[in-house]
């Protein structure tokens, strides 16, 4: 297991890449005949993007992302940990994108890729 989000486990076979974006809440204010001033407007935020694929005919079945959609429909944040037990905080599912390709005559797909955007919930 690479990551666990609220009980949904991302395996090493599924995860193609993880990117972490951290903003530190620094804003600027333009000043007349002077350089802009920088100041801390807020405490910042974190966003995690996960790129991956499922393996429909190698154990993931056609419904591998079903639990992930259920978590997203819950519209709340969930604990995010990695395989070593490191706790990253609570994250909410902001967006899921998926692409299915190479179909059988009955409509089943052989390949499925997905991307997921998570946003940190500091109050959760």
């Amino acid at each position: 297991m690479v990551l666990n989000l609220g009980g949904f486990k991302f395996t090493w076979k599924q995860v193609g890449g993880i990117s972490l974006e951290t903003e530190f809440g620094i804003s600027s204010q333009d000043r007349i005949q002077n350089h802009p001033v920088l100041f801390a407007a807020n405490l910042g935020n974190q966003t995690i993007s996960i790129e991956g694929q499922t393996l429909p005919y190698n154990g993931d079945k056609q419904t591998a992302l079903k639990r992930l959609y259920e978590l997203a429909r819950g519209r709340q944040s969930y604990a995010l940990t990695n395989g070593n037990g490191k706790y990253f905080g609570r994250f909410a599912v902001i967006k899921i994108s998926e692409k299915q390709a190479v179909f059988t005559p009955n409509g089943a797909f052989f390949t499925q890729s997905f991307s997921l955007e998570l946003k940190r919930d500091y109050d959760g």
Side-chain angles (χ1 to χ4, degrees):
M1 172 187 71
V2 177
L3 292 173
N4 182 342
L5 176 68
F8 184 87
K9 295 177 179 158
F10 296 89
T11 66
W12 65 271
K13 294 182 212 175
Q14 293 173 325
V15 177
I18 300 170
S19 21
L20 174 66
E21 181 178 299
T22 304
E23 294 183 25
F24 294 97
I26 303 295
S27 292
S28 71
Q29 177 68 45
D30 290 335
R31 299 184 292 181
I32 297 173
Q33 295 183 354
N34 204 341
H35 300 284
V37 65
L38 299 178
F39 60 94
N42 59 53
L43 296 176
N45 61 59
Q46 271 187 331
T47 303
I48 294 179
S49 298
I50 301 170
E51 301 284 333
Q53 66 282 331
T54 64
L55 306 168
Y57 281 93
N58 193 12
D60 284 344
K61 303 182 182 169
Q62 300 283 304
T63 58
L65 299 179
K66 181 179 178 183
R67 175 72 180 130
L68 196 56
Y69 275 98
E70 289 170 0
L71 291 173
R73 278 193 281 282
R75 290 175 174 75
Q76 55 184 312
S77 60
Y78 303 95
L80 179 68
T81 58
N82 70 7
N84 291 328
K86 180 181 177 184
Y87 176 71
F88 294 100
R90 297 185 63 83
F91 284 81
V93 177
I94 302 300
K95 180 168 70 170
I96 302 172
S97 301
E98 66 176 285
K99 180 181 176 184
Q100 300 167 351
V102 188
F103 295 93
T104 64
N106 66 356
F109 50 89
F110 281 102
T111 65
Q112 179 181 42
S113 57
F114 67 91
S115 64
L116 175 68
E117 182 180 332
L118 306 174
K119 189 159 197 126
R120 180 139 187 211
D121 179 8
Y122 290 93
D123 293 330

